[in-house]
C-alpha cells in the first residue's frame, strides 16, 4: 500500500532551546488508521504541528502524497488535503452547524450574498455522505460536545481532507460518544480516508489502529502493525525504563493520616465523569505519588483538595476536618500548602515583585501586617532570606517575578509553599520545565519535608520523579485508581505503565486503598 | 545604562510620549499662528507668569487628582471603570442637598457633607462593582449607564428641589457658610479642597502600597487566578476597589462645590471624571505620580486657555496633544522594539559576566 | 385629555421621535458591528464629530452634497481604521485608544473650525448644504401615517433602511458571517484561514461608516451647521442602545426608538414644567437592569453547560425592549 504521508528525520528545537523532536521518521499508509502513542512530552503534538504547518522544523522533511511539502501555515495544509481536529474545538458557539461548516469558503448567491439555503444543503450532503448525523441548523452552543466534535470532523472532510489528524479525540467524550466516534472513524477509513490520531488509551489504540507509532522522549521508538503488538507490549515500549537507581532513601515509620480522601467523584460541566470513587490517604512522614498520564483527573483532584472546585460526591478531610465547602484560605489555615501545576497561571503574579509573590497566602498574618498595615521592611528581610535559602537567582527581592527564568520562578513558588510551615504539601508537577539544578534542589526539599514529618502528596506526569520520590504510589487512569504500590523500592516504569494506560487494573483497587 | 533604561522603561516611555506631544504642539502652533514665538511662549510659560493663572492651574488640578486616584484604584484591580464622572456629579448634588437642608457648626458640617458625598459616590461604585464581581456584567457599560443615571438624577434633585429661584440660572441654593471649604489666598480661589486632594492622593498611595487591602487589589489586578489561589476573596476585593473609587470621585465633586462655587452650578457634566482617566494613564495608576500628572494636565489646559485669549491659537490644541500622549503611553508596541534590543543586549552582558565568573 | 397625553398622542410627537432617533440609530448600529466582531468601539462620539465637521466644510467649499457625503463617510471610516491601527498594530487597549480618539476628534474639529472660519463655536458663517427632506408620494396622502412617516430628512429614511441593511450585511453575507465568527471565537476563524485582524479592521471601518452617517445627519439635516461638541454624548448613548438591543438589528432599532421617544418626551414636557430628568433617566436605568439580568442569566447558563456566554440572548432582549416600550408608553 502506498504511503500518503512520510516524515523523514525531523528535528525540532523551540526558540527556548527545548528539543521536542529528534530525528523523527514515520510512514503513514494511505487508507489506514494510524495511532501515535507516547507519554506527555514525548513529542507527539510537536510532530502533528510540524505536519500541519504550524511550526517549522530545523531539520528533516515531510512528504505528502510522495511530494516534498513545507506548509507555510495551516491554510496550505488544509488546501493540500490535511484536516486537523483539535482537542479544544475550533467552532463559533453562536453560529449554526452549517455556518461553522462553510466559514471561510462560503457559498454565494449573486456574488454578494451568503447562500444560506445552499449552506444547509451542503452541510446535509456532507453529513449524509459520511454518515455523520448533525443538526445542521442548530447553534453550536446548544449541542453536546460529542456532536460538536462531529461537526469539527465534518468541517475537515468538507474541506476535502484526505488525511485527518485527531489530537486526543476521546479525552473530552463520554463512553457513548466515544463509541460513536469509533464507528465514524472506521467508516471514514472504509470510504478511503486516512486517519492519524494521538491517544493515551491503549485499548482504543488496539481496537482502532492498523498501525502504531510509539514515541518516547522526543524520538520515534517504533512503527509497527497493530496486530503485532499487545497492549502490554505498547505500554512497555512507551515507558521503557530501567529499574530506577536514583531513589531517595526510605522514610522512618510514617505517622498519622493527614489527608483522607474518600469515595470522591467529580462530574464536569459537560457531564463527563472525571473522577470516580477515589479513595486514598496521605500520612505524615511519607510521600504519596500519583502516577498517571496527564488529563486523567489529576488536575481536578488537586483543585478539589485545595478548595478551588466542588466535588459531586465524597469527602476530603485534613487532620479530621472535612474541607469540602471551605475556601482556599480556610484550607491553607489547616497548614496545607500547594505548589500548583501551572506556575504562570496560578503560582505567581508575573508583574509583581518577589516580595509580593512570597506573601500572597500570609500577608494578613500578624508577622507580616498589623491592623491592615503591611510591614514591608520585615517582608524584605524575609524575602531576602528565602531567596538565599532557596538559591533563587535574582537581582533583588524587588525584581518582578516574570523577569526570572522558569526554574527560578518555580523556586519562588516552592520557597513560598514550603516556608509556610505546612503539615501537608500538595506538589503538582513540582519540577516541570526547570533546569537540572533546580530539579535536584526541589527534590531535596521535598525529601527533607518528608523526613521532617510532613505529609507530601506528589502529582507528576514525570515517571522518574514519581519513582524517585514516592514512598507509596497510586496509579490513576480515566478518573479512577487502577493500582497501589506500597513498596516502591523495587519497581520500575514497566510496572506502572500498564496501569497508567488502563491495560491492567487491580480488582477493586480504588476501594481497597487505605493503608 | 541598559539596566537603568530597563528599570525605568515605563517612566522613560511616558516622558518620551509627553515630549512627542509637546513637539507636536510646537509644530501645530508654528503652522497656524501668525506670531509663533509669542504663542509658544504663552502656551508654555503663560501659566507661571501670573499669580492668578498659576492659581487656576492648582484649582483645576484638585478634582483631577481626586478622580485620577479614583480611576487608578479601579484600574489597579483591572476594572475598566469610567464611572468617576457620574459618581462626582451625583455626590456633589446629594452633598449639596444635604448641606442646604441641615445646620451644624462649621467643622462638623463640612465633615458631614463630605461623608454624605463620599457615601453617595461609594454606592455609585458599588453597583457596577457587584454586577461585575458576582455575575461578570461589563463594568464598562454599567459604569457608563451609572454616569447618565447620575447626571439626570443629580439634575432632577437640584432643579426640582434645591433650585435657587432668585438666581438667573439653573443653580442650587447657596451652601450655608458652615459648609464652605475656606479659600486661603486672597485674589485667587485656592481652597482647602486642594490640600484635601493631595492628602487623599497620599492616602491612596498608602492604601494601595502599604495596606493589606491595597495589596489585595493590586494582586487581583495583576493575576486574578493567583489571588484566588492565595486565598483572597475576589468578589470582595473588586467591590472594594470600585466602592473606594466611587467615594474618591464623590469627594472630588463635593470639594469643588464647597470650595469654589459654594453652590451646585453644573448643568453639564464637568468632565473631571474623564480627566481622571487621562491623569491615571499618564500617572501610571500611581497616586503620587497622579498628583504630577494632574498638575501637568491642568497646566496644559490653562496654557491652552491663555493661547486662546492672548494669541491666535484655539485652546483645543491641548485636546489633540492629550490624545497623542495617551495613545503613545497605552500603545504597548510604542518603543517595544527598542526595549527588546536593550533586553537582549543586557541579557548577553549578564551572560558574559556570568561566564567570566565561572571561569 | 391632559396636555401631556395629547402631546404624546399627536402625530407631531411621533414625527419628532423619528427625527431624534436618527442620530442615535446610526451610531448604535456602529457599536453593534464592533461588538459582534468582539472589539467594542466606544469612539462613535469622535467618529460622528469628524463626519459632521467634514461634511459641512466640504459642502461649504465645494457646494456639492455628493462630495460632502463622501468626505463625511471617509472621515468616519478613517477614524474606524485609525482605531483598528492603534488597537491591532500599536497594541493599545481598545478602550483607551477610543478615549484618545474621542478627544482627538473633539480637539481637531474645533481646531480646524477655527482655521477655516476664524470662529470657534460653529460654522454658521459658512454657507453649507443640508440633505433634502422628502415627501413620500403615496404615503404622504394617508392621514395619520403620512404625517408621521412622510417629510423626513432623507437620512432618516437611510437610517431606517440601514437596519435591514445591517441585518443583510451581518447575517446574509460572507463578510458578516466572518465578523461574527471572529467575535465569537477568533481561534475558530483563524483555523479556517480567516485573517482575524483584517476582519476586525473591516468591522471597525464599518462601525465608522455607520457612525459617519449619524454625524452627517446632525450637521446637515438635524441642523444646518456644525457646532463644537454637537454630538453631545450621542456616541455614548449609542453604546447603551446597542447593549439594550443585544447588538441585533431589530433590537437596536427598538432601543433607539425608546431613547428617541424618551428624549422627545423630555423636550415636550420641558415646556409643561414637569421634571423631565427622571423620564430621561429611564432608558439608562432599563439598560443597566437589562445588563444585570442578562449577566445573571448568562451565569446560570454558564453554570449549566460550562460555556462562556458573552453574548446576550436575543429573545430576552426583545422581550425586555417590548416591556419597556409598553410601560414607557403608558407613563
Amino acid at each position: 500500500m502506498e504511503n500518503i504521508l512520510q516524515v523523514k528525520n525531523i528535528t525540532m528545537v523551540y526558540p527556548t532551546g527545548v528539543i521536542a523532536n529528534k530525528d523523527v521518521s514515520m510512514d503513514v499508509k494511505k487508507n489506514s488508521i494510524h495511532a501515535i502513542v507516547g507519554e506527555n512530552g514525548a513529542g507527539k503534538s510537536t510532530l502533528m504541528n510540524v505536519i500541519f504547518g504550524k511550526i517549522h522544523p530545523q531539520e528533516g522533511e515531510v512528504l505528502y502524497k510522495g511530494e516534498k511539502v513545507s506548509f507555510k501555515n495551516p491554510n496550505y495544509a488544509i488546501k493540500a488535503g490535511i484536516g486537523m481536529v483539535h482537542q479544544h474545538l475550533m467552532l463559533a458557539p453562536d453560529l449554526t452547524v452549517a455556518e461553522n461548516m462553510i466559514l471561510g469558503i462560503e457559498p454565494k448567491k449573486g456574488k454578494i450574498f451568503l447562500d444560506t439555503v445552499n449552506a444547509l444543503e451542503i452541510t446535509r450532503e456532507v453529513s449524509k455522505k459520511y454518515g455523520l448525523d448533525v443538526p445542521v441548523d442548530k447553534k453550536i452552543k446548544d449541542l453536546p460536545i460529542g456532536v460538536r466534535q462531529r461537526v469539527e470532523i465534518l468541517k475537515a472532510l468538507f474541506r476535502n481532507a484526505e488525511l485527518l489528524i485527531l489530537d486526543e479525540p476521546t479525552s473530552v467524550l463520554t463512553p457513548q460518544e466515544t463509541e460513536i466516534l469509533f464507528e465514524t472513524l472506521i467508516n471514514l477509513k472504509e470510504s478511503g480516508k486516512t486517519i492519524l490520531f494521538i491517544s493515551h488509551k491503549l485499548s482504543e489504540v488496539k481496537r482502532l489502529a492498523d498501525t502504531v507509532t510509539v514515541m518516547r522522549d522526543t524520538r520515534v521508538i517504533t512503527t509497527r502493525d497493530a496486530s503485532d503488538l499487545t497492549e502490554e507490549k505498547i505500554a512497555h515500549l512507551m515507558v521503557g525504563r530501567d529499574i530506577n537507581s536514583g531513589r531517595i532513601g526510605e522514610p522512618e515509620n510514617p505517622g498519622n493520616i493527614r489527608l483522607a480522601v474518600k469515595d470522591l467523584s467529580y462530574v464536569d460541566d459537560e457531564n463527563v465523569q472525571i473522577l470516580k470513587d477515589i479513595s486514598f490517604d496521605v500520612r505524615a512522614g511519607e510521600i504519596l505519588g500519583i502516577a498517571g498520564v496527564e488529563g486523567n483527573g489529576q488536575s481536578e483532584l488537586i483543585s478539589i483538595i485545595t478548595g478551588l472546585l466542588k466535588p459531586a460526591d465524597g469527602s476530603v478531610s485534613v487532620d479530621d476536618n472535612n474541607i469540602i465547602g471551605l475556601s482556599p484560605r480556610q484550607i491553607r489555615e489547616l497548614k496545607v500548602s500547594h505548589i500548583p501545576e501551572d506556575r504562570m497561571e496560578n503560582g505567581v503574579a508575573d508583574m509583581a515583585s518577589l516580595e509580593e509573590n512570597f506573601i500572597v497566602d500570609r500577608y494578613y498574618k500578624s508577622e507580616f501586617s498589623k491592623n491592615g498595615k503591611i510591614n514591608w521592611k520585615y517582608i524584605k528581610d524575609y524575602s531576602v532570606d528565602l531567596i538565599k535559602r532557596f538559591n533563587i537567582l535574582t537581582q533583588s527581592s524587588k525584581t518582578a517575578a516574570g523577569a526570572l527564568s522558569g526554574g527560578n520562578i518555580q523556586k519562588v513558588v516552592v520557597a513560598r509553599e514550603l516556608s509556610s510551615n505546612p503539615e501537608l504539601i500538595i506538589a503538582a508537577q513540582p519540577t516541570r520545565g526547570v533546569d537540572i539544578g533546580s530539579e535536584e534542589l526541589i527534590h531535596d526539599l521535598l525529601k527533607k519535608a518528608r523526613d521532617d514529618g510532613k505529609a507530601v502528596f506528589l502529582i507528576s506526569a514525570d515517571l522518574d520523579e514519581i519513582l524517585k520520590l514516592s514512598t507509596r504510589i497510586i496509579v490513576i487512569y480515566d478518573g479512577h485508581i487502577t493500582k497501589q504500590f506500597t513498596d516502591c523500592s523495587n519497581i520500575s516504569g514497566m510496572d506502572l505503565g500498564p496501569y497508567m494506560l488502563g491495560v491492567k487494573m487491580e480488582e477493586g483497587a480504588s476501594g481497597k486503598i487505605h493503608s | 545604562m541598559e539596566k537603568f533604561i530597563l528599570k525605568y522603561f515605563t517612566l522613560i516611555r511616558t516622558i518620551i510620549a509627553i515630549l512627542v506631544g509637546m513637539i507636536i504642539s510646537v509644530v501645530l502652533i508654528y503652522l497656524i499662528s501668525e506670531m509663533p514665538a509669542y504663542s509658544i511662549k504663552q502656551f508654555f510659560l503663560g501659566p507661571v507668569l501670573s499669580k492668578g493663572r498659576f492659581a487656576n492651574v492648582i484649582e483645576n488640578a484638585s478634582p483631577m487628582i481626586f478622580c485620577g486616584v479614583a480611576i487608578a484604584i479601579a484600574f489597579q484591580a483591572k476594572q475598566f471603570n469610567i464611572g468617576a464622572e457620574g459618581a462626582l456629579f451625583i455626590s456633589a448634588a446629594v452633598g449639596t442637598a444635604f448641606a442646604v437642608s441641615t445646620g451644624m457648626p462649621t467643622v462638623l458640617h463640612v465633615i458631614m457633607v463630605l461623608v454624605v458625598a463620599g457615601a453617595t459616590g461609594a454606592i455609585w461604585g458599588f453597583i457596577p462593582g457587584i454586577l461585575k464581581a458576582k455575575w461578570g456584567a461589563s463594568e464598562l457599560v454599567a459604569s457608563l449607564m451609572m454616569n447618565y443615571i447620575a447626571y439626570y438624577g443629580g439634575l432632577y434633585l437640584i432643579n426640582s428641589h434645591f433650585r435657587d429661584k432668585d438666581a438667573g440660572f439653573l443653580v442650587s441654593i447657596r451652601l450655608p457658610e458652615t459648609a464652605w471649604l475656606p479659600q486661603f489666598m486672597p485674589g485667587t480661589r485656592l481652597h482647602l479642597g486642594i490640600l484635601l486632594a493631595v492628602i487623599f492622593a497620599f492616602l491612596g498611595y498608602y492604601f494601595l502600597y502599604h495596606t493589606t487591602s491595597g495589596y489585595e487589589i493590586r494582586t487581583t489586578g495583576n493575576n486574578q487566578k493567583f489571588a484566588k489561589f492565595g486565598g483572597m476573596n475576589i468578589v470582595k476585593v473588586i467591590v472594594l476597589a470600585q466602592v473606594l473609587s466611587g467615594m474618591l470621585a464623590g469627594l472630588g465633586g463635593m470639594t469643588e462645590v464647597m470650595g469654589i462655587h459654594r453652590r451646585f452650578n453644573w448643568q453639564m457634566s464637568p468632565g473631571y471624571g474623564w480627566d481622571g482617566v487621562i491623569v491615571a494613564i499618564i500617572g501610571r495608576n500611581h497616586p503620587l505620580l497622579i498628583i504630577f500628572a494632574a498638575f501637568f494636565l491642568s497646566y496644559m489646559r490653562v496654557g491652552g486657555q491663555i493661547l486662546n485669549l492672548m494669541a491666535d491659537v484655539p485652546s483645543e490644541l491641548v485636546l489633540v496633544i492629550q490624545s497623542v500622549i495617551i495613545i503613545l503611553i497605552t500603545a504597548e508596541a510604542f518603543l517595544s522594539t527598542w526595549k527588546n534590543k536593550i533586553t537582549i543586549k543586557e541579557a548577553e552582558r549578564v551572560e558574559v559576566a556570568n561566564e567570566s565568573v565561572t571561569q | 385629555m391632559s396636555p401631556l397625553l395629547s402631546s404624546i398622542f399627536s402625530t407631531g410627537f411621533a414625527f419628532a421621535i423619528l427625527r431624534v432617533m436618527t442620530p442615535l440609530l446610526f451610531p448604535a448600529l456602529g457599536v453593534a458591528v464592533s461588538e459582534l466582531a468582539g472589539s467594542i468601539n466606544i469612539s462613535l462620539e469622535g467618529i460622528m464629530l469628524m463626519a459632521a465637521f467634514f461634511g459641512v466644510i466640504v459642502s461649504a467649499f465645494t457646494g456639492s452634497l455628493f462630495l460632502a457625503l463622501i468626505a463625511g463617510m471617509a472621515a468616519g471610516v478613517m477614524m474606524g481604521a485609525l482605531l483598528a491601527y492603534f488597537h491591532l498594530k500599536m497594541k493599545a487597549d481598545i478602550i483607551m485608544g477610543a478615549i484618545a480618539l474621542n478627544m482627538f476628534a473633539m480637539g481637531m474639529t474645533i481646531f480646524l473650525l477655527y482655521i477655516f472660519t476664524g470662529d470657534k463655536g460653529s460654522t454658521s458663517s459658512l454657507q453649507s448644504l443640508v440633505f433634502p427632506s422628502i415627501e413620500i408620494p403615496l404615503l404622504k396622502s394617508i392621514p395619520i401615517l403620512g404625517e408621521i412617516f412622510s417629510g423626513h430628512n432623507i437620512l432618516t429614511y437611510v437610517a431606517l433602511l440601514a437596519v435591514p441593511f445591517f441585518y443583510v450585511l451581518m447575517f446574509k453575507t460572507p463578510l458578516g458571517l466572518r465578523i461574527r465568527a471572529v467575535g465569537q471565537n477568533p481561534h475558530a476563524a483563524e483555523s479556517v484561514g480567516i485573517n482575524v485582524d483584517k476582519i476586525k479592521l473591516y468591522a471597525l471601518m464599518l462601525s465608522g461608516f455607520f457612525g459617519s452617517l449619524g454625524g452627517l445627519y446632525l450637521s446637515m439635516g438635524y441642523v444646518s451647521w456644525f457646532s463644537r461638541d454637537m454630538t453631545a454624548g450621542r456616541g455614548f448613548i449609542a453604546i447603551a442602545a446597542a447593549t439594550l438591543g443585544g447588538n441585533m438589528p431589530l433590537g437596536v432599532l427598538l432601543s433607539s426608538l425608546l431613547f428617541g421617544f424618551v428624549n422627545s418626551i423630555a423636550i415636550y414636557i420641558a415646556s409643561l414644567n414637569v421634571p423631565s430628568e427622571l423620564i430621561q433617566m429611564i432608558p439608562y436605568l432599563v439598560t443597566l437592569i437589562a445588563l444585570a439580568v442578562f449577566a445573571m442569566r448568562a451565569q446560570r447558563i454558564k453554570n449549566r453547560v460550562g460555556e462562556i456566554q458573552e453574548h446576550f440572548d436575543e429573545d430576552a432582549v426583545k422581550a425586555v425592549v417590548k416591556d419597556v416600550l409598553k410601560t414607557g408608553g403608558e407613563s
Side-chain angles (χ1 to χ4, degrees), chain B residues 1-21 282 284 289 325 328-329 331 334-336 338-339 342:
Chain B
M1 180 63 192
E2 275 90 16
K3 224 153 121 186
F4 176 84
I5 293 175
L6 283 179
K7 191 165 177 196
Y8 296 105
F9 181 74
T10 48
L11 188 66
I12 291 170
R13 204 173 74 162
T14 307
I15 292 168
I16 292 178
I18 290 172
L19 284 179
V20 171
I282 297 178
R284 291 275 172 196
L289 291 179
I325 292 175
L328 292 184
I329 292 180
F334 177 55
L335 298 181
S336 64
W338 183 55
K339 186 190 177 188
I342 296 174

Side-chain angles (χ1 to χ4, degrees), chain A residues 347-348 356 363 372 374 376, chain B residues 209-210 212 215-216 218 223 226:
Chain A
V348 292
E356 291 172 323
Y363 62 91
I374 293 194
W376 285 116
Chain B
Y209 293 94
H210 289 280
T212 49
Y215 170 72
E216 286 174 337
R218 288 185 299 119
N223 180 350
F226 174 65

Side-chain angles (χ1 to χ4, degrees), chain A residues 308 328-329 332 338-340 344-352 355-364 369 372-374 376 395 416-417, chain B residues 3 7 78 206-216 218-219 222-233 236-237 346 349-350 354:
Chain A
L308 296 165
R329 173 164 299 170
R332 281 177 175 277
H338 173 194
I339 299 166
M344 294 320 281
E345 194 171 299
N346 288 314
V348 292
D350 61 344
M351 306 284 277
E355 293 175 15
E356 291 172 323
N357 273 293
F358 282 135
I359 59 167
V360 72
D361 60 332
R362 62 198 70 162
Y363 62 91
Y364 59 93
S369 62
K373 181 194 184 308
I374 293 194
W376 285 116
Q395 289 190 336
R416 180 184 62 228
E417 299 300 332
Chain B
K3 224 153 121 186
K7 191 165 177 196
K78 281 262 161 64
Y206 185 82
F207 170 76
L208 278 174
Y209 293 94
H210 289 280
T211 70
T212 49
S213 299
Y215 170 72
E216 286 174 337
R218 288 185 299 119
T219 305
N222 225 316
N223 180 350
Q224 195 163 318
K225 282 186 170 166
F226 174 65
K228 208 170 162 184
F229 162 87
M232 294 177 191
N233 180 344
K236 206 186 84 189
V237 173
E346 172 69 9
R349 197 185 60 79
V350 170
N354 282 350

Side-chain angles (χ1 to χ4, degrees), chain B residues 5 7 40 169 204 266 272 301 306 338:
Chain B
I5 293 175
K7 191 165 177 196
I40 288 168
F169 317 94
W266 293 321
Y272 291 125
R301 289 272 168 81
I306 297 170
W338 183 55

Side-chain angles (χ1 to χ4, degrees), chain B residues 271-284:
Chain B
Y272 291 125
W274 293 104
D275 293 342
V277 176
I278 302 167
V279 165
I281 294 172
I282 297 178
R284 291 275 172 196

